[in-house]
Amino acid sequence: QLQLQESGPGLVKPSETLSLTCTVSGDSISSSSSYWGWIRQPPGKGLEWIGSVYYSGSTYYNPSLKSRVTISVDTSKNQFSLKLSSVTAADTAVYYCARRLAVVGTYYFDYWGQGTLVTVSS
Amino acid sequence: IVVTQSPATLSVSPGERVTLSCRASQSVSSNLAWYQQKPGQAPRLLIYGASTRATGIPARFSGSGSGTEFTLTIGSLQSEDFAVYYCQQYSNWPPWTFGQGTKVEIK
Protein backbone atom coordinates (compact mmCIF):
# COMPACT_ATOMS: atom_id res chain seq x y z
CA GLN A 1 0.00 0.00 0.00
CA LEU A 2 1.42 3.35 -1.05
CA GLN A 3 2.02 5.76 1.81
CA LEU A 4 3.31 9.33 1.88
CA GLN A 5 4.60 11.21 4.92
CA GLU A 6 5.47 14.89 5.14
CA SER A 7 8.20 16.21 7.41
CA GLY A 8 9.80 19.54 8.15
CA PRO A 9 9.71 22.56 10.45
CA GLY A 10 6.32 23.62 11.73
CA LEU A 11 7.38 27.23 12.18
CA VAL A 12 9.11 29.46 9.64
CA LYS A 13 9.98 33.12 9.97
CA PRO A 14 8.69 35.68 7.47
CA SER A 15 10.98 36.21 4.45
CA GLU A 16 12.68 32.85 5.03
CA THR A 17 12.39 29.65 3.00
CA LEU A 18 9.91 26.92 3.86
CA SER A 19 11.36 23.44 3.31
CA LEU A 20 9.38 20.20 3.45
CA THR A 21 10.13 16.62 2.51
CA CYS A 22 7.75 13.84 1.54
CA THR A 23 8.90 10.26 2.11
CA VAL A 24 7.26 7.65 -0.09
CA SER A 25 6.85 4.04 1.03
CA GLY A 26 5.17 1.09 -0.61
CA ASP A 27 6.38 2.05 -4.08
CA SER A 28 9.46 3.43 -5.75
CA ILE A 29 9.48 7.14 -6.41
CA SER A 30 11.27 6.20 -9.62
CA SER A 31 8.16 4.46 -10.84
CA SER A 32 7.29 5.70 -14.30
CA SER A 33 3.63 5.45 -13.37
CA SER A 34 3.53 8.34 -10.90
CA TYR A 35 3.89 12.07 -10.58
CA TRP A 36 4.43 13.52 -7.11
CA GLY A 37 2.96 16.80 -5.96
CA TRP A 38 2.38 19.34 -3.21
CA ILE A 39 -0.97 20.85 -2.29
CA ARG A 40 -1.69 23.26 0.53
CA GLN A 41 -4.70 24.32 2.57
CA PRO A 42 -4.75 27.53 4.64
CA PRO A 43 -6.60 27.12 7.95
CA GLY A 44 -10.34 26.94 7.32
CA LYS A 45 -9.93 27.39 3.57
CA GLY A 46 -9.81 25.39 0.38
CA LEU A 47 -7.09 23.50 -1.45
CA GLU A 48 -4.40 24.98 -3.68
CA TRP A 49 -2.15 22.93 -5.96
CA ILE A 50 1.47 24.09 -5.66
CA GLY A 51 3.35 21.95 -8.15
CA SER A 52 4.41 18.48 -9.24
CA VAL A 53 7.56 16.55 -10.12
CA TYR A 54 8.39 13.39 -12.07
CA TYR A 55 11.17 11.02 -11.03
CA SER A 56 13.26 12.37 -13.89
CA GLY A 57 13.21 15.79 -12.24
CA SER A 58 10.73 17.32 -14.65
CA THR A 59 8.59 19.87 -12.81
CA TYR A 60 5.60 22.12 -13.31
CA TYR A 61 4.26 24.72 -10.96
CA ASN A 62 1.22 26.83 -10.19
CA PRO A 63 1.90 30.10 -12.02
CA SER A 64 0.82 32.07 -8.95
CA LEU A 65 3.68 30.55 -6.93
CA LYS A 66 6.18 29.68 -9.65
CA SER A 67 8.67 32.45 -8.84
CA ARG A 68 9.05 31.18 -5.26
CA VAL A 69 8.71 27.39 -5.59
CA THR A 70 11.21 24.63 -6.19
CA ILE A 71 10.22 20.96 -6.11
CA SER A 72 12.89 18.30 -6.41
CA VAL A 73 13.20 14.54 -6.16
CA ASP A 74 15.79 12.34 -4.44
CA THR A 75 15.42 8.84 -5.84
CA SER A 76 18.12 7.42 -3.56
CA LYS A 77 16.02 8.29 -0.51
CA ASN A 78 12.62 7.74 -2.14
CA GLN A 79 11.74 11.32 -1.27
CA PHE A 80 10.68 14.54 -2.93
CA SER A 81 10.91 18.02 -1.50
CA LEU A 82 9.30 21.44 -1.55
CA LYS A 83 11.04 24.77 -1.09
CA LEU A 84 9.00 27.97 -0.92
CA SER A 85 11.01 31.15 -0.60
CA SER A 86 10.21 34.59 0.82
CA VAL A 87 7.30 33.33 2.88
CA THR A 88 4.69 35.55 4.48
CA ALA A 89 1.79 34.88 6.83
CA ALA A 90 -0.32 34.08 3.75
CA ASP A 91 1.77 30.93 3.29
CA THR A 92 0.58 29.54 6.63
CA ALA A 93 -1.19 26.31 5.72
CA VAL A 94 -1.36 22.57 6.02
CA TYR A 95 0.93 21.23 3.32
CA TYR A 96 0.08 17.87 1.75
CA CYS A 97 2.15 15.70 -0.52
CA ALA A 98 0.21 13.58 -2.95
CA ARG A 99 0.51 11.22 -5.90
CA ARG A 100 -1.19 11.19 -9.26
CA LEU A 101 -0.88 8.66 -12.01
CA ALA A 102 1.45 9.52 -14.87
CA VAL A 103 -1.19 8.81 -17.47
CA VAL A 104 -2.52 11.47 -19.80
CA GLY A 105 -5.77 12.79 -18.42
CA THR A 106 -5.39 11.43 -14.89
CA TYR A 107 -4.56 14.72 -13.24
CA TYR A 108 -6.26 13.98 -9.94
CA PHE A 109 -4.66 12.85 -6.70
CA ASP A 110 -5.34 9.33 -5.44
CA TYR A 111 -2.89 9.06 -2.54
CA TRP A 112 -2.22 11.78 0.02
CA GLY A 113 0.03 12.26 3.01
CA GLN A 114 -1.56 13.17 6.34
CA GLY A 115 -0.43 16.79 5.99
CA THR A 116 1.80 19.02 8.07
CA LEU A 117 0.94 22.46 9.42
CA VAL A 118 3.47 25.17 8.67
CA THR A 119 3.02 28.50 10.43
CA VAL A 120 4.81 31.61 9.23
CA SER A 121 5.47 33.87 12.18
CA SER A 122 8.29 35.73 13.81
CA ILE B 1 -10.52 28.06 -14.54
CA VAL B 2 -12.58 29.06 -11.50
CA VAL B 3 -14.50 26.28 -9.81
CA THR B 4 -17.49 27.25 -7.68
CA GLN B 5 -19.30 24.92 -5.29
CA SER B 6 -22.74 25.36 -3.82
CA PRO B 7 -24.06 25.51 -1.26
CA ALA B 8 -21.27 26.33 1.18
CA THR B 9 -23.02 24.35 3.90
CA LEU B 10 -25.72 21.71 3.74
CA SER B 11 -27.59 20.59 6.87
CA VAL B 12 -29.07 17.13 6.43
CA SER B 13 -30.34 14.21 8.47
CA PRO B 14 -28.86 10.70 8.29
CA GLY B 15 -30.58 8.63 5.63
CA GLU B 16 -31.39 11.61 3.42
CA ARG B 17 -30.28 11.91 -0.19
CA VAL B 18 -27.82 14.72 -0.76
CA THR B 19 -26.86 16.57 -3.94
CA LEU B 20 -23.81 18.86 -4.10
CA SER B 21 -23.08 21.17 -7.03
CA CYS B 22 -19.86 22.20 -8.73
CA ARG B 23 -19.64 24.69 -11.58
CA ALA B 24 -16.61 25.49 -13.75
CA SER B 25 -16.12 28.90 -15.35
CA GLN B 26 -15.47 27.20 -18.69
CA SER B 27 -15.90 23.71 -20.04
CA VAL B 28 -13.71 21.03 -18.46
CA SER B 29 -15.35 18.19 -20.38
CA SER B 30 -15.46 15.28 -17.89
CA ASN B 31 -12.16 16.18 -16.26
CA LEU B 32 -13.54 16.64 -12.77
CA ALA B 33 -12.83 14.87 -9.48
CA TRP B 34 -14.54 14.90 -6.09
CA TYR B 35 -12.83 14.53 -2.72
CA GLN B 36 -14.08 14.03 0.82
CA GLN B 37 -12.24 15.59 3.74
CA LYS B 38 -12.94 14.91 7.40
CA PRO B 39 -11.56 17.12 10.19
CA GLY B 40 -7.85 16.65 10.70
CA GLN B 41 -7.55 14.29 7.72
CA ALA B 42 -6.24 14.53 4.19
CA PRO B 43 -8.69 14.65 1.30
CA ARG B 44 -9.84 11.27 -0.02
CA LEU B 45 -10.53 10.74 -3.71
CA LEU B 46 -14.15 9.75 -4.29
CA ILE B 47 -14.88 10.30 -7.97
CA TYR B 48 -12.80 10.98 -11.09
CA GLY B 49 -13.76 11.47 -14.69
CA ALA B 50 -16.91 13.16 -13.32
CA SER B 51 -18.64 9.83 -12.68
CA THR B 52 -16.17 7.00 -11.97
CA ARG B 53 -15.92 5.90 -8.35
CA ALA B 54 -12.40 5.49 -7.00
CA THR B 55 -11.31 2.18 -5.54
CA GLY B 56 -13.20 1.23 -2.40
CA ILE B 57 -15.76 4.04 -2.58
CA PRO B 58 -19.30 2.90 -1.66
CA ALA B 59 -21.95 2.80 -4.35
CA ARG B 60 -24.05 5.43 -2.53
CA PHE B 61 -21.62 8.02 -3.92
CA SER B 62 -22.28 8.95 -7.53
CA GLY B 63 -21.12 11.75 -9.79
CA SER B 64 -22.62 13.20 -12.92
CA GLY B 65 -22.29 16.08 -15.33
CA SER B 66 -19.99 17.35 -18.05
CA GLY B 67 -18.88 20.66 -19.46
CA THR B 68 -19.45 23.21 -16.72
CA GLU B 69 -22.08 21.67 -14.44
CA PHE B 70 -21.45 18.74 -12.13
CA THR B 71 -23.14 17.07 -9.19
CA LEU B 72 -22.11 14.67 -6.47
CA THR B 73 -24.97 12.66 -5.00
CA ILE B 74 -24.89 10.67 -1.80
CA GLY B 75 -27.77 8.23 -2.00
CA SER B 76 -28.47 7.75 1.70
CA LEU B 77 -26.31 9.76 4.05
CA GLN B 78 -24.44 7.71 6.64
CA SER B 79 -22.92 9.12 9.82
CA GLU B 80 -19.42 8.74 8.38
CA ASP B 81 -20.34 10.91 5.39
CA PHE B 82 -20.52 14.16 7.35
CA ALA B 83 -17.49 16.00 5.97
CA VAL B 84 -16.38 18.69 3.56
CA TYR B 85 -16.51 17.84 -0.14
CA TYR B 86 -14.28 19.43 -2.77
CA CYS B 87 -14.36 19.27 -6.53
CA GLN B 88 -11.24 19.70 -8.69
CA GLN B 89 -10.98 20.41 -12.38
CA TYR B 90 -8.06 18.92 -14.26
CA SER B 91 -8.83 19.95 -17.78
CA ASN B 92 -6.93 23.20 -18.18
CA TRP B 93 -3.62 23.52 -16.45
CA PRO B 94 -1.58 24.91 -14.96
CA PRO B 95 -3.00 25.25 -12.49
CA TRP B 96 -5.43 22.55 -11.57
CA THR B 97 -8.03 24.20 -9.38
CA PHE B 98 -10.29 23.19 -6.54
CA GLY B 99 -13.63 24.52 -5.44
CA GLN B 100 -14.00 26.10 -2.03
CA GLY B 101 -15.86 23.12 -0.64
CA THR B 102 -19.31 22.18 0.62
CA LYS B 103 -19.66 21.20 4.24
CA VAL B 104 -22.26 18.52 4.90
CA GLU B 105 -23.33 18.78 8.53
CA ILE B 106 -25.84 17.04 10.74
CA LYS B 107 -29.24 18.71 10.87
Side-chain angles (χ1 to χ4, degrees), chain B residues 19-33:
Chain B
T19 299
L20 286 64
S21 294
C22 177
R23 175 177 293 178
S25 59
Q26 63 189 75
S27 177
V28 298
S29 186
S30 295
N31 297 309
L32 190 107

Side-chain angles (χ1 to χ4, degrees), chain A residues 37-97:
Chain A
W38 290 95
I39 295 152
R40 69 180 182 178
Q41 184 173 36
K45 296 187 178 180
L47 300 158
E48 180 181 35
W49 171 71
I50 299 170
S52 295
V53 64
Y54 196 48
Y55 77 96
S56 63
S58 174
T59 55
Y60 47 103
Y61 303 130
N62 189 323
S64 69
L65 298 168
K66 187 176 182 179
S67 63
R68 300 194 291 132
V69 172
T70 302
I71 298 176
S72 59
V73 62
D74 186 337
T75 56
S76 67
K77 295 181 179 179
N78 226 38
Q79 296 175 335
F80 63 103
S81 298
L82 167 70
K83 291 189 185 299
L84 181 65
S85 64
S86 305
V87 297
T88 69
D91 295 310
T92 294
V94 174
Y95 285 76
Y96 296 100
C97 57

Side-chain angles (χ1 to χ4, degrees), chain B residues 67-107:
Chain B
T68 61
E69 301 283 342
F70 301 87
T71 59
L72 173 69
T73 300
I74 309 173
S76 176
L77 204 67
Q78 306 297 303
S79 58
E80 62 266 30
D81 300 335
F82 291 97
V84 180
Y85 293 83
Y86 293 96
C87 57
Q88 176 218 339
Q89 69 81 19
Y90 53 93
S91 177
N92 286 25
W93 66 277
W96 298 306
T97 47
F98 296 83
Q100 286 304 105
T102 291
K103 181 179 181 181
V104 177
E105 63 178 23
I106 300 175
K107 189 174 184 178

